[in-house]
Amino acid sequence: MLSRRSFVSLFLAAGALLALAARAEEAPDAFIMRISTDVLDAVKADKSIQTGDVQKVIALVDAKVMPSVNFRRMTASAVGRFWRQATPEQQQRLQEEFKTLLIRTYSGALTQVKDQTVDLKPMRSKPEDDDVVVRTEVRGKGDPVQLDYRLEKTANGWKIYDVNVLGVWLVQNYRNSFAQEIGASGVDGLIAKLAEKNKAAAGKP
Amino acid sequence: MTGDFHPAWRRWVMALLLLASAGCATVPPGTTQRQQIDPFEAWNRKVFAFNETLDDALLKPVASVYVEIVPPLARRGIGNFYANLADAWSAVNMLLQGKPVTAAEGAFRFSVNTVFGFGGVLDVASEMGYGRNYGDFGQTLGIWGMDAGAYLMWPLIGPSTMRESLALPLNYAASPMYLFHLSFAGQFGVWALQLVNTRASLLGMGSLLDDIALDKYTFVRDAYLQRRRSLLGDSDEPPAPDPSQDDPEAAPATAPKPEPAQ
């Protein structure tokens, strides 16, 4: 017979499983709204982020945003047809450097947050779709900024794999630059270039 | 707007048409996609470098001083004033694109802001919930079915395409510089104020572009072309295939063989 304690822990485990399942069932727009609000609230609550403490923003992005991003897919689509020619080590390095680059960009944008709010725009996909675009508008002073996300459904819930700012898909926008670099000096050349870029930016105040 | 077509513009349009027809000439076999969208890359890069130098040496310093002198509220008012005139032109273009409802909303927006917003200095319509629908003549030409054509970088004006360049004179005719029948110095003043005010609003971005772009020229070009394409329709470009899925079954054997890197 189950002891009282093991019964309780079984109950708790079942509850956790249910919560996980509920998260996987979460609608993509609700998922984006949850993350956006979460991040905006955290930024607004933290004065040191608004004054430009980049390390703090990076920590925030790492904790709240990165778990919801499919970074492997992001990097692979930016690298395009050269991805399969890269060795697993090269793929790993590309992923790390690209991640650093994008986190820094995103963090820079977050330090500009003041009184912004996020509005969802109507979904155009069907509820059963597992690859969708969620459209949002960031409202603050001035014109609203279009901010859209491409999401894929995975076993671990929704994952973001591209972001659109004002009509420009960010990952897609790197494709030509990456191909140009690989064409000139190979995959290792691209890795070196990304690393150099990150190093230069990290050296700045 | 007066109906007469300035002779200088006629020459401009003729030159562009010639350029456009040269650009549309048969693409030689073996050209990559990159050469197709940007056949004048070597020249464009020179103009881009010139614009960058000009920005560093003149525009950015002037904008920085401007921000010190002109209070935020005044800068916002100036921005609104220009945006309001652009709204009127957007509404005209919505009509030309066969979107009468959006055009009417735009016209309403313009009237409200002009009358109740002191000539457009205050954006009352946005407060009332009437958002902006941007439109210009280059977009209209695109909606009508004209191809963007080759990418072109203009001194001072910045990124453009053949199609957008054809639309430039008409967009200019709808701008405050022309509408107010100012002297040349006056037109220059109105233009310069708009340029500095816009540049000032971008100062907060700092060196963001330098930080994220591997090659700033390519990054700006691709972002510009994507943005212009996005203005043409609500339809999204399909997502890029996911090369990280190393499933041989998922990758059709008929997929084009990748070209070896140059």
Side-chain angles (χ1 to χ4, degrees):
Chain A
M1 203 179 110
L2 287 168
S3 73
R4 196 189 168 84
R5 244 175 85 189
S6 55
F7 185 74
V8 168
S9 37
L10 197 72
F11 190 75
L12 282 176
L17 267 177
L18 273 175
L20 266 180
R23 178 154 291 193
E25 296 285 297
E26 188 178 18
D29 45 351
F31 164 79
I32 289 294
M33 202 59 193
R34 180 165 58 81
I35 299 178
S36 312
T37 324
D38 218 19
V39 171
L40 281 184
D41 286 349
V43 172
K44 285 176 196 165
D46 195 331
K47 280 273 169 285
S48 59
I49 287 181
Q50 288 157 39
T51 52
D53 186 341
V54 179
Q55 287 314 312
K56 213 139 183 210
V57 198
I58 291 178
L60 174 80
V61 174
D62 249 334
K64 296 211 187 270
V65 184
M66 289 323 284
S68 310
V69 175
N70 182 347
F71 223 85
R72 189 174 158 78
R73 175 158 187 187
M74 266 197 177
T75 316
S77 36
V79 176
R81 58 197 167 90
F82 301 102
W83 181 256
R84 283 163 204 268
Q85 298 164 20
T87 65
E89 291 76 34
Q90 284 177 324
Q91 291 182 351
Q92 193 55 38
R93 285 272 287 137
L94 279 170
Q95 209 171 307
E96 277 159 21
E97 296 294 352
F98 193 39
K99 184 172 160 179
T100 312
L101 187 81
L102 287 189
I103 287 195
R104 216 188 37 246
T105 309
Y106 184 57
S107 308
L110 277 184
T111 57
Q112 302 288 317
V113 167
K114 283 176 191 78
D115 52 359
Q116 281 83 349
T117 55
V118 174
D119 282 351
L120 280 176
K121 296 209 275 186
M123 293 287 290
R124 297 201 186 120
S125 55
K126 294 185 283 291
E128 67 269 23
D129 286 348
D130 51 11
D131 196 303
V132 300
V133 175
V134 173
R135 278 157 238 276
T136 72
E137 257 179 8
V138 182
R139 293 175 177 279
K141 283 207 182 82
D143 283 332
V145 175
Q146 175 198 342
L147 194 56
D148 302 341
Y149 304 83
R150 270 197 212 287
L151 302 167
E152 58 171 358
K153 198 180 202 168
T154 70
N156 303 315
W158 292 97
K159 299 278 178 199
I160 302 167
Y161 69 91
D162 204 348
V163 183
N164 186 313
V165 188
L166 290 169
V168 181
W169 288 107
L170 189 61
V171 172
Q172 207 166 312
N173 213 55
Y174 275 102
R175 290 177 72 101
N176 283 330
S177 310
F178 277 21
Q180 199 174 304
E181 206 56 47
I182 293 174
S185 44
V187 173
D188 284 328
L190 174 61
I191 295 171
K193 180 94 185 183
L194 284 167
E196 176 197 320
K197 202 92 217 161
N198 288 331
K199 221 168 151 188
K204 275 197 260 178
Chain B
M1 200 191 315
T2 50
D4 58 329
F5 201 44
H6 200 280
W9 288 1
R10 202 173 301 151
R11 277 202 300 276
W12 169 290
V13 171
M14 286 304 290
L16 275 168
L17 280 173
L18 273 172
L19 257 174
S21 55
C24 295
T26 48
V27 180
T31 37
T32 65
Q33 196 197 352
R34 192 168 141 213
Q35 286 163 324
Q36 276 179 39
I37 57 165
D38 197 1
F40 310 119
E41 182 171 344
W43 169 253
N44 284 342
R45 274 187 190 272
K46 287 198 186 101
V47 179
F48 183 72
F50 168 78
N51 285 347
E52 291 275 291
T53 314
L54 197 71
D55 183 59
D56 278 343
L58 190 66
L59 192 50
K60 205 168 144 193
V62 170
S64 308
V65 174
Y66 175 83
V67 168
E68 297 292 321
I69 301 171
V70 186
L73 212 63
R75 273 184 270 141
R76 219 172 137 56
I78 291 168
N80 282 342
F81 173 78
Y82 285 106
N84 186 48
L85 292 169
D87 281 346
W89 183 228
S90 297
V92 171
N93 278 288
M94 288 304 145
L95 203 61
L96 292 174
Q97 293 170 22
K99 298 168 189 157
V101 178
T102 319
E105 279 170 10
F108 174 74
R109 214 187 124 77
F110 172 70
S111 317
V112 166
N113 280 343
T114 306
V115 177
F116 299 105
F118 304 100
V121 174
L122 297 180
D123 186 358
V124 191
S126 284
E127 308 286 331
M128 290 165 63
Y130 288 89
R132 172 169 286 131
N133 275 298
Y134 179 79
D136 59 41
F137 195 64
Q139 179 196 29
T140 300
L141 289 176
I143 297 274
W144 288 351
M146 191 178 193
D147 280 339
Y151 180 69
L152 275 182
M153 178 62 76
W154 288 99
L156 293 169
I157 297 172
S160 189
T161 60
M162 289 289 184
R163 184 183 66 214
E164 308 305 331
S165 304
L166 265 177
L168 274 179
L170 216 58
N171 284 337
Y172 183 80
S175 71
M177 283 79 87
Y178 193 79
L179 286 177
F180 298 151
H181 293 278
L182 298 170
S183 63
F184 181 77
Q187 291 193 30
F188 180 81
V190 173
W191 172 77
L193 177 62
Q194 182 174 21
L195 187 67
V196 171
N197 198 65
T198 309
R199 185 65 185 89
S201 69
L202 296 174
L203 284 175
M205 281 174 62
S207 56
L208 179 80
L209 219 47
D210 293 294
D211 287 349
I212 64 170
L214 295 188
D215 174 11
K216 201 171 172 186
Y217 172 84
T218 307
F219 199 86
V220 168
R221 178 193 68 199
D222 293 348
Y224 173 81
L225 292 175
Q226 263 206 75
R227 161 92 184 139
R228 291 305 306 188
R229 273 201 303 273
S230 84
L231 284 177
L232 286 191
D234 309 41
S235 64
D236 265 307
E237 297 178 36
D242 177 10
S244 69
Q245 297 297 326
D246 301 309
D247 184 1
E249 239 82 88
T254 51
K257 188 136 178 64
E259 299 162 33
Q262 301 294 312

